[in-house]
Amino acid sequence: MSVVGIDVGFQNCYIAVARSGGIETIANEYSDRCTPACVSLAPKNRMIGNAAKSQVISNFKNTVHGFKKYHGRAFDDPFIQGERLKLPYSLNKLADGNTGVKARQHFSLPHFFFFLKTAYFLFLYQNLLISFNCVPSYFTNAERRSVFDATQIAGLNCLRLINDTTAVALAYGIYKQDLPTPEEKPRNVVFVDMGHSSFQVAITAFNKGKLKVLSTGFDPNLGGRNFDDALVNYFCEDFKVKYKLNVRDNPRALLRLHQECEKLKKLMSANSSDLPLNIECFMNDIDVSSRMNRGQFEDMCAQYLMRVEMPLKAALEQSKLSRDDIYAVEIVGGATRIPAIKERISRFFGKDVSTTLNADEAVARGCALQCAILSPACKVREFSITDVVPFPITLRWKSPTDNGVGECEVFSKNHAAPFSKVITFHKKEPFDLEAFYSCPQELPYPDHRIGCFYVQNVVPQPDGDSSKIKVKVRVNVHGIFSVSSASLIEKQKGEGEDMQIESEPMVQNEEQVKLTCHSSLKCDLIQCLQLKHVLVNSAGSKLKVKVKSIDLPIAVNNLRQLDSDVLANFVEYEVGMIIQDKLVKELNDAKNAVEEYVYELRDKLCGVYEKYITEDDSSRLTLMLEDTENWLYEEGEDQPKHVYEEKLEALKRLGQPIHERHREHVDRPRAFEELGKKLQLYMKFVDAYKQKDERCLHLSPEEMSSVEKCVNESMGWMNSKMNAQSKLTITKDPIVTVADIIAKIQELEDVCSPVINRPKPSVEEAAEVNDQNSAARNGPTAQQGAEGKGETKGHPQTKPGTKEMECYLDIETLQQF
């Protein structure tokens, strides 16, 4: 099981995987580590990534891209209304008020297209089950829940949603060996990430084995696409004047212009001279051209460049650091390659920017690192991360005083996260807790409400007093706020010796904080550290009152999250689409295999196969190939998979014999040549034995007789087959195949090789062997005399204590004969 980090950008997607050799950014089926965040819907299936991007212009109404920023947003959201005017595809309002896209059919855009793209990688890497997903640091509760729901639909076990800049900080710090110790002053590093659609800043403090995010800043509407749009607007006006073309009236032309302007922007980052923009057959078969240089481009984008410093200034002020406290400024993201942006970042901090991290892959790599740290499947150096809450969060409830409303800020801006707190209420009846962001003007999201949490089953104490209600609120590892639990503390009277002493679990480094609340209600806030720091105090303290903790149910309302039933339907629908995609792919592969075989065989019939088939057979087969080709583009355009497979099989029954004749004609001479070499070597060996060569004296006559017999039989077989084959034309099937010749070579080897490769005996026994062989050649009398002398009959054995001679007869030895 692999662990992966997924960086889903506005324009592209990167996936990094943690493996034994380290972190690796995986490539897609096009061997490209960058996959376009694009989905194209065909009548029967979907195309994702590179295949979908190729459809952006030709199938623009059904090709969806740039959908990252639509997570968790309603259709009436002003941002959605502004974006839909720029999109070539259509957005629509769903029944629940969310944003949908109309492409072939109606789909829920935020929850649907994320896992379309992710499913693409799951198709390539079936074992990618544990994941970390990156989100912008400014994402609100609704947007984070939307992304988390999408990961579940995609079948991913998402361990954590991590902020983009936090992932970059981890990728930077975990490999540093010179970080200060925990007791020393931390090293403060600024991370600046400007992608295609947003601008994020984080200031992070590093110590050995840990990082702490001090502050964040952002501009969610500043990125590379703003600079692309500036170029597009300029050239639209330029072409309107020069060529009388209204580009905005033609969606295809506008999309082509966007692509060309993006290329021009990248070229201007590396060149300050004038650069051309040429587009052939742009509109109405008119070729257009223009020019632009870096100076003009920067003047044109001055309004966007001025906005670069505002997030930097906000992050620095919130961190309470000076510029002198900053150790380094690391930049990532594609838009940071623009020289003017680099220059403004460097000028603000008064130091050169650093580009030690991969600008495109740093987020995904850091994400995979954090996933590896938490996963039991990987062994990675411990590195703790403390993130922040980007926006202050307030709780509100009904109160009998203060105009009937009480509220308190439970998480301040840049509060450490993940974090849990316990609030104590005194209530006699169920009550509501409304959570919302304290500063709506700071939100890049129109709705500042988080949700309403209804604490149920609250009753007064038996004596009529208000019950003590403990409510636990938390910001979890995903950055999502929730009221996680509530409990009622019930007082119970003790009875003499039966009284029980109960102590509530204590929290290490517990600190009780009095909050200034807009209510006379006493609100004690207990600050809880992360769960792994919880230490239960086993020693009980003597209390005079027995208490009982009762868990209370919490009903959630107005929470922008998918219901479990809706989520299950999405999962089921996605499984069905994956199956459908697989079936369509297999169908297309079967059809393409027929078409490919038709073209391949037709070309070879006029080339390498021409002399291996008669003219009449070639004409008939060519006509059949033409009929098949016409069938593919007519009634064979849409047929079941088995029909294409049967067509291919019928063609192969005619084409395969021709292929076999060609292959046999080419390979048979080499096979016969190899057999002839073997026979020649073994015949030389037999001749050497007959001439009493000293290297063959240890072999018995019976063995050499079997070798000679096998060589003669093989020689006769080869001559007969060669003679018979020479009488056939090459348009006929061969009498002997390469496989037959290889089998004959193996048969020859099995008989001869063990004999000629037998080791020569030691020097002491060599004389005995020579005597035995001489006796065998001189007749029975000599052999009987040898037996009378008590000599060993048969093969000589190595005597104990004698060193066996390392002498073998191999091919090189045979060539010396």
Side-chain angles (χ1 to χ4, degrees):
M1 180 181 294
S2 297
V3 293
V4 297
I6 303 176
D7 174 21
V8 182
F10 184 88
Q11 192 177 32
N12 297 309
C13 176
Y14 293 88
I15 292 187
V17 59
R19 290 175 176 163
S20 57
I23 303 299
E24 176 187 351
T25 305
I26 57 179
N28 56 28
E29 61 178 325
Y30 296 89
S31 299
D32 191 355
R33 295 189 294 187
C34 170
T35 297
C38 192
V39 178
S40 182
L41 297 173
K44 292 185 178 180
N45 67 318
R46 55 189 175 178
M47 290 171 284
I48 302 168
N50 299 76
K53 188 176 181 179
S54 65
Q55 301 287 315
V56 166
I57 296 176
S58 60
N59 187 24
F60 62 88
K61 289 185 178 180
N62 300 305
T63 302
V64 186
H65 50 87
F67 44 79
K68 174 183 179 178
K69 303 188 76 170
Y70 306 151
H71 275 291
R73 291 185 179 267
F75 180 76
D76 296 330
D77 189 318
F79 174 79
I80 295 294
Q81 292 303 311
E83 285 291 305
R84 65 191 293 247
L85 301 176
K86 308 174 187 178
L87 299 175
Y89 52 89
S90 301
L91 299 181
N92 67 319
K93 188 175 183 178
L94 300 180
D96 58 359
N98 285 327
T99 304
V101 61
K102 185 179 180 181
R104 301 291 180 187
Q105 50 184 307
H106 295 281
F107 295 110
S108 174
L109 186 65
H111 302 95
F112 188 69
F113 287 105
F114 176 87
F115 64 81
L116 284 182
K117 179 160 34 54
T118 306
Y120 170 74
F121 289 95
L122 292 179
F123 178 75
L124 293 177
Y125 303 92
Q126 295 292 336
N127 62 337
L128 303 187
L129 300 177
I130 302 179
S131 74
F132 257 55
N133 298 81
C134 294
V135 294
S137 59
Y138 56 81
F139 259 24
T140 60
N141 230 52
E143 293 166 301
R144 291 174 185 269
R145 288 184 183 275
S146 177
V147 173
F148 189 75
D149 287 343
T151 62
Q152 291 183 282
I153 296 169
L156 296 172
N157 179 15
C158 182
L159 297 182
R160 180 173 180 174
L161 298 180
I162 186 172
N163 293 334
D164 293 337
T165 49
T166 306
V168 174
L170 177 60
Y172 170 88
I174 197 170
Y175 295 110
K176 298 293 182 182
Q177 301 293 328
D178 58 344
L179 293 177
T181 62
E183 297 78 18
E184 296 177 333
K185 183 179 179 180
R187 177 182 298 175
N188 302 311
V189 181
V190 179
F191 296 95
V192 181
D193 179 7
M194 181 179 284
H196 191 67
S197 66
S198 64
F199 180 37
Q200 303 175 68
V201 184
I203 300 180
T204 306
F206 287 95
N207 287 97
K208 193 174 185 62
K210 66 178 182 178
L211 71 84
K212 180 180 180 181
V213 180
L214 302 178
S215 63
T216 60
F218 54 85
D219 187 338
N221 299 312
L222 177 63
R225 70 169 180 163
N226 297 95
F227 299 90
D228 295 344
D229 290 343
L231 289 172
V232 169
N233 293 335
Y234 171 83
F235 288 117
C236 280
E237 295 301 322
D238 187 36
F239 296 156
K240 188 174 184 179
V241 173
K242 292 170 61 175
Y243 302 100
K244 309 301 180 185
L245 297 175
N246 193 346
V247 180
R248 298 193 182 278
D249 292 342
N250 189 322
R252 284 189 174 88
L254 188 60
L255 286 168
R256 288 188 65 191
L257 183 58
H258 267 282
Q259 292 179 350
E260 295 300 323
C261 286
E262 184 180 356
K263 295 176 183 177
L264 180 63
K265 179 190 69 175
K266 294 177 180 179
L267 289 174
M268 285 190 293
S269 296
N271 301 275
S272 58
S273 58
D274 277 7
L275 294 173
L277 177 75
N278 302 310
I279 309 177
E280 296 181 356
C281 298
F282 182 59
M283 282 179 63
N284 305 328
D285 294 330
I286 298 176
D287 300 339
V288 297
S289 63
S290 188
R291 302 189 72 83
M292 175 68 65
N293 60 51
R294 186 190 294 175
Q296 291 176 279
F297 174 63
E298 292 177 357
D299 293 340
M300 187 189 309
C301 300
Q303 58 175 324
Y304 303 121
L305 296 174
M306 290 174 58
R307 291 164 56 182
V308 171
E309 292 187 3
M310 288 185 286
L312 304 176
K313 183 178 180 181
L316 189 62
E317 289 177 353
Q318 294 169 27
S319 68
K320 299 178 181 179
L321 299 175
S322 66
R323 289 176 173 83
D324 295 335
D325 296 327
I326 302 301
Y327 175 82
V329 180
E330 288 282 342
I331 60 173
V332 296
T336 58
R337 295 185 175 99
I338 299 175
I341 293 178
K342 282 185 182 179
E343 190 272 331
R344 277 161 175 76
I345 296 172
S346 177
R347 185 174 61 191
F348 178 83
F349 288 104
K351 57 184 63 184
D352 294 337
V353 295
S354 176
T355 56
T356 58
L357 298 173
N358 187 308
D360 299 316
E361 302 174 9
V363 175
R365 295 176 67 86
C367 203
L369 277 168
Q370 176 63 2
C371 190
I373 291 173
L374 296 185
S375 171
C378 300
K379 186 176 181 181
V380 187
R381 180 189 310 149
E382 283 294 330
F383 205 91
S384 66
I385 296 176
T386 303
D387 216 322
V388 295
V389 178
F391 310 107
I393 299 174
T394 296
L395 276 183
R396 179 185 293 154
W397 60 88
K398 291 183 179 180
S399 174
T401 60
D402 291 340
N403 298 322
V405 177
E407 65 179 37
C408 67
E409 187 176 271
V410 290
F411 292 104
S412 60
K413 186 178 180 65
N414 292 327
H415 192 288
F419 213 92
S420 298
K421 294 183 178 182
V422 176
I423 305 176
T424 302
F425 295 90
H426 296 274
K427 293 285 186 180
K428 293 183 179 181
E429 58 186 12
F431 60 99
D432 287 319
L433 290 173
E434 182 185 358
F436 59 91
Y437 290 109
S438 310
C439 303
Q441 67 277 8
E442 295 182 4
L443 285 180
Y445 192 79
D447 190 357
H448 73 290
R449 296 172 299 175
I450 295 176
C452 188
F453 304 87
Y454 182 58
V455 182
Q456 303 175 351
N457 298 351
V458 178
V459 295
Q461 293 293 310
D463 56 5
D465 291 342
S466 297
S467 296
K468 184 179 181 181
I469 311 298
K470 290 190 175 183
V471 177
K472 185 177 182 180
V473 296
R474 64 183 302 204
V475 174
N476 62 16
V477 294
H478 308 298
I480 297 175
F481 173 86
S482 65
V483 177
S484 58
S485 65
S487 59
L488 184 149
I489 308 301
E490 184 181 88
K491 299 178 183 179
Q492 294 180 341
K493 293 182 179 180
E495 298 180 3
E497 298 298 328
D498 293 333
M499 178 178 292
Q500 298 181 5
I501 299 175
E502 179 176 308
S503 172
E504 295 184 9
M506 300 294 292
V507 181
Q508 187 179 10
N509 297 329
E510 176 186 282
E511 181 182 357
Q512 187 171 347
V513 182
K514 297 280 187 178
L515 291 183
T516 303
C517 303
H518 302 286
S519 171
S520 59
L521 177 67
K522 181 180 179 182
C523 180
D524 294 336
L525 188 65
I526 299 178
Q527 181 173 345
C528 302
L529 300 179
Q530 297 178 4
L531 291 180
K532 65 178 181 179
H533 296 305
V534 172
L535 176 63
V536 177
N537 186 0
S538 59
S541 58
K542 293 186 178 181
L543 300 179
K544 295 182 180 180
V545 179
K546 178 182 177 182
V547 297
K548 180 181 179 182
S549 178
I550 302 174
D551 291 337
L552 301 178
I554 301 174
V556 182
N557 297 317
N558 301 325
L559 196 65
R560 297 187 66 86
Q561 185 178 20
L562 287 178
D563 295 333
S564 57
D565 294 339
V566 177
L567 186 64
N569 290 337
F570 269 109
V571 172
E572 183 179 355
Y573 189 68
E574 165 61 9
V575 171
M577 291 197 71
I578 290 177
I579 295 173
Q580 178 65 20
D581 289 344
K582 185 178 180 181
L583 293 176
V584 172
K585 182 179 183 301
E586 292 176 351
L587 177 65
N588 291 335
D589 290 344
K591 181 180 178 182
N592 293 337
V594 176
E595 186 177 29
E596 181 182 352
Y597 191 78
V598 167
Y599 293 151
E600 179 185 2
L601 185 56
R602 186 165 54 193
D603 291 342
K604 289 184 177 180
L605 285 176
C606 300
V608 294
Y609 290 171
E610 184 176 9
K611 58 184 179 180
Y612 300 99
I613 184 173
T614 63
E615 187 174 347
D616 293 340
D617 290 344
S618 179
S619 299
R620 285 194 296 269
L621 184 54
T622 301
L623 183 61
M624 182 178 179
L625 293 176
E626 291 177 358
D627 292 341
T628 303
E629 182 181 9
N630 295 332
W631 174 83
L632 282 172
Y633 295 107
E634 294 173 359
E635 61 266 24
E637 179 70 26
D638 188 12
Q639 294 290 332
K641 175 184 173 182
H642 69 88
V643 174
Y644 296 118
E645 291 175 342
E646 291 170 358
K647 279 283 184 181
L648 181 61
E649 188 64 30
L651 292 175
K652 284 188 174 181
R653 281 197 294 267
L654 299 175
Q656 193 64 24
I658 307 172
H659 171 74
E660 292 296 332
R661 289 197 289 270
H662 168 259
R663 185 177 62 84
E664 290 289 337
H665 184 77
V666 173
D667 295 342
R668 193 187 310 111
R670 291 197 294 265
F672 271 132
E673 182 181 2
E674 181 65 22
L675 177 57
K677 289 180 179 179
K678 293 285 185 182
L679 290 172
Q680 185 178 11
L681 291 175
Y682 294 144
M683 289 174 63
K684 289 182 178 180
F685 185 81
V686 172
D687 292 342
Y689 177 80
K690 291 180 178 180
Q691 296 174 8
K692 301 181 181 181
D693 191 290
E694 61 179 8
R695 288 171 290 185
C696 307
L697 297 178
H698 64 288
L699 300 175
S700 66
E702 293 83 0
E703 292 173 328
M704 291 308 303
S705 176
S706 64
V707 169
E708 184 176 7
K709 180 181 178 183
C710 183
V711 168
N712 292 334
E713 290 177 352
S714 300
M715 179 68 74
W717 180 88
M718 184 180 73
N719 291 333
S720 64
K721 294 297 182 182
M722 291 179 68
N723 291 333
Q725 184 63 43
S726 63
K727 297 177 182 179
L728 290 178
T729 62
I730 58 176
T731 59
K732 301 291 185 180
D733 291 336
I735 291 178
V736 60
T737 64
V738 174
D740 296 335
I741 302 173
I742 292 175
K744 180 58 68 174
I745 293 175
Q746 186 60 47
E747 179 184 341
L748 184 65
E749 287 282 338
D750 292 341
V751 174
C752 301
S753 183
V755 177
I756 68 173
N757 289 323
R758 178 172 297 123
K760 194 173 182 179
S762 61
V763 177
E764 290 81 359
E765 294 190 355
E768 298 179 8
V769 173
N770 290 337
D771 292 342
Q772 292 176 2
N773 291 341
S774 298
R777 296 188 187 97
N778 293 333
T781 306
Q783 184 175 358
Q784 291 173 0
E787 291 176 358
K789 295 179 181 179
E791 294 180 354
T792 305
K793 183 178 180 180
H795 301 298
Q797 302 293 327
T798 304
K799 294 182 179 179
T802 30
K803 184 177 180 181
E804 185 177 359
M805 294 181 63
E806 298 179 354
C807 180
Y808 300 87
L809 286 173
D810 53 12
I811 298 299
E812 295 181 357
T813 304
L814 289 172
Q815 290 174 346
Q816 298 175 5
F817 292 148

